[in-house]
Amino acid sequence: MSLLVVGSVAFDGIETPFGKVARTLGGAATYFSVAASYFTHVNLVAVVGKDFTSKDAAIFRGRHIDITGLERAPGKSFFWAGRYSADLNDRVTLATDLNVFADFRPMLPPAYRDSKYVFLANIDPTLQRSVLHQVRGRPKVVALDTMNYWIERTPQELRETLKHTQVLMINDAETRQLAGEHNLLRAAARIFKMGPSTLVIKRGEYGALMVHARSVFSVPGFPLGKVCDPTGAGDSFAGGFMGYLARAGRVNDVTLRRAMVYGSVMGSFACEGFGLDRLRRLNRAAIHQRARHFWRLTQFRI
Amino acid sequence: MSLLVVGSVAFDGIETPFGKVARTLGGAATYFSVAASYFTHVNLVAVVGKDFTSKDAAIFRGRHIDITGLERAPGKSFFWAGRYSADLNDRVTLATDLNVFADFRPMLPPAYRDSKYVFLANIDPTLQRSVLHQVRGRPKVVALDTMNYWIERTPQELRETLKHTQVLMINDAETRQLAGEHNLLRAAARIFKMGPSTLVIKRGEYGALMVHARSVFSVPGFPLGKVCDPTGAGDSFAGGFMGYLARAGRVNDVTLRRAMVYGSVMGSFACEGFGLDRLRRLNRAAIHQRARHFWRLTQFRI
């Protein structure tokens, strides 16, 4: 079923212990849509500047990604630069130039308005809500990412948007901050009172934890022989998760667990190359092979 | 089959956000043997001082724990005190009074010398090796714990002891330090060249990872509604792991995975009470119930 993503398409400058790129295509919506496109059709809403060329747009071509909703605005595209620590667990932001993204007012093309699966990447919660107002009927799943900036600066707007969200997908620090509670299970209980019925906690190299009313599910980080660049891993996770769910067309504990695994699969691939290098060169066979690898990594009999 | 543990029996002073105890029984060999005794018979080798009373020894009575090897020496028992951070992920050591432990020379009672499963808790690697010299024949599994102190101060002695070790059970920081390699899979490959054929990496709230030649297995930390005191969780993990293996009497990928789960079960229980409070009040039904809970926490179909 149709999957809508609203978020950033950006250029990134990335420094890791394994290399440096001054400017490569990135942004949450880019990672998300490339990852999700291996599973389902994706409708993309974002804004880029005049520096975004046809060559840049090639990332979306030949995939199931509709970019009718990719607005071209006068000015430059969002630019982010960061440097990772030696162990890749920390990063410092070197630049955040919002550029055209500062005035982003997401507008859904008419064909997008029937989307049944919606992912609201990490942007202003007021904009996230404006997207939901443009969707006709009631989506099957609205998933949302956010960050400390919105939790601290626009708590009321975020709370309002969370009322219309089924799946909240954030990291453990954000979970604790939003709930005002260190213990993750008790934090989840508080968050369920805000609207979401499912909480997906991303924990980087340690994997991800999903909590909903009837079950808790944990999937480990994939032990990679080499982690090249973690940029976009969380958004690729979200893409695999929502892409799989939209493809399955059913939301229950079985499909949610599989979505967690396919999310982890896509997040692990994202780390194996700089920027989108590995993610863009996948195929379904490689994805299923890694999902089976996750199965061997976690299964036991008692 | 008989399981031998050599390590510390100590008194601990513990401060966590949930309470404070000035002096409670602890020590690696204590946690290990109590945890392991739910699975198999345990032979304990340790030293205590004159301050260790019959009341303290009650922890071992009525369990399958033989304390013929618990030496009583003139002086005071090993005392450790620590304070945990608000999130329980860090702790500062407030006191380490080795006392009688400073002159500990482990001696195996004759009845212990046929032990087929051996756990060498975190002590001087030279003493660990002296224990192996006292074991008759070739044990089926020698497992070893160590720490940064020995990795830095006695690297050659540790390397020599590792040659006779099948299972190395350490945390991720120790893994990286010992191997001189940040990536855990590559660190494991280096450690296999030192002797061990199985590496168990303890990751606290994030669970544990096992690497051996044919397989990688990950088990998550158990999501507890309340973590009271993490003291002894790693040693309880080791006790569940080795206790299960000794009970199974077979070492293969299936039993090693189960051992990881039962280790995690015992580690999670250890965190639920102060000191040994929760661990000492378990029964097999509770243990198996939690193992099934781990199963539900991790299983999926693809």
Side-chain angles (χ1 to χ4, degrees):
Chain A
M1 287 195 209
S2 58
L3 171 59
L4 169 68
V5 57
V6 182
S8 60
V9 170
F11 291 103
D12 292 341
I14 304 167
E15 291 179 42
T16 86
F18 306 107
K20 185 175 172 172
V21 283
R23 186 174 178 277
T24 186
L25 189 63
T30 313
Y31 283 99
F32 180 95
S33 55
V34 171
S37 70
Y38 289 103
F39 299 87
T40 193
H41 178 88
V42 184
N43 293 325
L44 173 74
V45 172
V47 62
V48 289
K50 295 295 180 198
D51 51 351
F52 184 89
T53 64
S54 165
K55 201 178 151 197
D56 295 314
I59 186 81
F60 302 117
R61 280 195 291 270
R63 300 179 193 278
H64 304 283
I65 303 175
D66 184 326
I67 57 168
T68 315
L70 182 63
E71 182 193 338
R72 318 285 177 125
K76 292 176 76 175
S77 302
F78 185 8
F79 178 76
W80 173 88
R83 184 193 297 131
Y84 288 85
S85 63
D87 65 6
L88 298 169
N89 282 331
D90 291 302
R91 71 179 185 198
V92 289
T93 294
L94 303 174
T96 309
D97 304 332
L98 291 177
N99 300 327
V100 297
F101 202 68
D103 300 311
F104 181 38
R105 296 292 172 272
M107 288 296 295
L108 270 56
Y112 288 17
R113 297 194 179 179
D114 292 313
S115 297
K116 290 296 173 199
Y117 293 80
V118 178
F119 182 68
L120 304 169
N122 171 27
I123 57 173
D124 183 331
T126 309
L127 298 185
Q128 291 175 321
R129 201 157 68 252
S130 80
V131 170
L132 293 183
H133 285 147
Q134 298 174 58
V135 175
R136 263 195 295 264
R138 196 185 155 89
K140 287 189 82 161
V141 178
V142 175
L144 180 149
D145 185 14
T146 192
M147 69 187 293
N148 57 346
Y149 184 90
W150 309 113
I151 296 171
E152 292 159 17
R153 309 277 184 103
T154 63
Q156 290 313 316
E157 290 80 353
L158 179 58
R159 289 294 191 101
E160 193 53 40
T161 305
L162 283 175
K163 289 179 187 168
H164 310 280
T165 300
Q166 284 80 51
V167 180
L168 179 62
M169 220 178 266
I170 52 183
N171 70 29
D172 33 12
E174 290 153 358
T175 300
R176 286 161 172 151
Q177 186 180 25
L178 176 62
E181 163 65 50
H182 184 79
N183 183 280
L184 294 178
L185 288 188
R186 288 192 286 182
R190 289 193 184 185
I191 286 170
F192 294 156
K193 290 182 182 156
M194 301 177 193
S197 52
T198 298
L199 173 65
V200 173
I201 305 172
K202 299 175 287 182
R203 311 179 97 179
E205 67 165 311
Y206 300 111
L209 189 70
M210 175 176 70
V211 187
H212 62 74
R214 294 173 310 285
S215 146
V216 182
F217 177 66
S218 176
V219 60
F222 192 75
L224 291 167
K226 185 172 182 182
V227 175
C228 187
D229 170 21
T231 308
D235 300 307
S236 304
F237 175 97
F241 183 100
M242 289 296 284
Y244 171 75
L245 269 194
R247 181 180 176 82
R250 294 186 311 282
V251 183
N252 55 44
D253 190 51
V254 170
T255 57
L256 283 168
R257 284 173 183 242
R258 262 186 221 137
M260 288 284 287
V261 172
Y262 282 109
S264 304
V265 164
M266 302 313 284
S268 73
F269 279 127
C271 295
E272 287 188 300
F274 255 91
L276 289 145
D277 283 356
R278 181 74 181 102
L279 211 59
R280 69 192 304 168
R281 287 186 178 78
L282 290 172
N283 55 51
R284 289 214 179 155
I287 291 167
H288 291 304
Q289 187 180 38
R290 181 152 297 177
R292 285 191 297 273
H293 211 137
F294 265 95
W295 192 83
R296 289 196 298 275
L297 177 65
T298 56
Q299 303 304 290
F300 62 89
R301 286 173 281 160
I302 49 171
Chain B
M1 288 194 208
S2 58
L3 171 59
L4 168 68
V5 56
V6 182
S8 61
V9 170
F11 291 104
D12 292 341
I14 304 168
E15 291 179 43
T16 86
F18 306 105
K20 184 173 171 172
V21 284
R23 186 174 178 276
T24 187
L25 189 63
T30 312
Y31 282 99
F32 180 94
S33 55
V34 171
S37 69
Y38 289 102
F39 299 88
T40 194
H41 178 90
V42 183
N43 293 324
L44 173 74
V45 173
V47 63
V48 288
K50 296 295 180 196
D51 52 351
F52 184 89
T53 65
S54 166
K55 202 178 149 197
D56 295 316
I59 185 81
F60 302 118
R61 281 195 290 268
R63 300 176 192 280
H64 304 284
I65 303 176
D66 185 326
I67 58 167
T68 316
L70 182 62
E71 182 192 339
R72 318 282 176 126
K76 293 176 74 174
S77 301
F78 184 8
F79 178 75
W80 173 87
R83 184 192 298 131
Y84 288 86
S85 63
D87 65 4
L88 299 168
N89 281 331
D90 291 303
R91 71 179 185 198
V92 288
T93 295
L94 303 174
T96 308
D97 305 332
L98 290 177
N99 300 326
V100 298
F101 202 70
D103 298 313
F104 181 38
R105 296 290 172 275
M107 289 295 296
L108 270 54
Y112 288 17
R113 298 195 177 177
D114 292 313
S115 298
K116 290 296 174 199
Y117 291 81
V118 178
F119 182 67
L120 305 168
N122 172 27
I123 56 172
D124 184 331
T126 309
L127 298 185
Q128 291 175 321
R129 201 157 68 251
S130 82
V131 170
L132 294 183
H133 285 147
Q134 297 173 58
V135 176
R136 264 194 295 263
R138 195 186 157 87
K140 285 189 84 161
V141 178
V142 175
L144 179 149
D145 186 14
T146 192
M147 68 187 293
N148 57 346
Y149 184 91
W150 309 113
I151 297 170
E152 291 158 18
R153 308 279 183 100
T154 62
Q156 289 313 313
E157 290 79 354
L158 178 58
R159 289 296 190 99
E160 192 54 40
T161 306
L162 284 175
K163 288 179 188 169
H164 310 280
T165 299
Q166 283 80 52
V167 179
L168 179 62
M169 219 176 269
I170 52 182
N171 69 29
D172 33 12
E174 291 154 358
T175 300
R176 286 162 172 151
Q177 185 180 26
L178 176 63
E181 163 66 48
H182 183 80
N183 182 281
L184 294 178
L185 288 188
R186 288 191 287 182
R190 288 193 186 185
I191 286 170
F192 294 156
K193 290 184 182 155
M194 301 176 192
S197 52
T198 299
L199 173 65
V200 173
I201 305 171
K202 298 176 288 184
R203 312 179 98 180
E205 67 164 313
Y206 299 112
L209 188 70
M210 175 176 71
V211 187
H212 61 74
R214 292 173 312 286
S215 151
V216 182
F217 177 65
S218 176
V219 61
F222 192 74
L224 291 168
K226 185 172 181 181
V227 176
C228 187
D229 169 21
T231 308
D235 300 308
S236 304
F237 175 97
F241 184 100
M242 289 297 284
Y244 171 76
L245 268 195
R247 181 179 177 81
R250 295 185 312 282
V251 183
N252 55 45
D253 190 50
V254 171
T255 58
L256 284 168
R257 284 173 182 244
R258 263 188 220 136
M260 288 284 287
V261 173
Y262 282 108
S264 303
V265 164
M266 302 313 284
S268 73
F269 279 126
C271 295
E272 286 189 300
F274 255 90
L276 289 145
D277 282 356
R278 181 75 182 104
L279 211 59
R280 68 191 305 168
R281 286 184 179 81
L282 290 172
N283 55 50
R284 287 215 180 157
I287 291 168
H288 289 305
Q289 187 180 37
R290 182 150 297 177
R292 285 191 297 272
H293 211 137
F294 265 97
W295 192 83
R296 290 195 297 274
L297 177 64
T298 55
Q299 304 303 290
F300 61 89
R301 287 173 280 159
I302 49 171

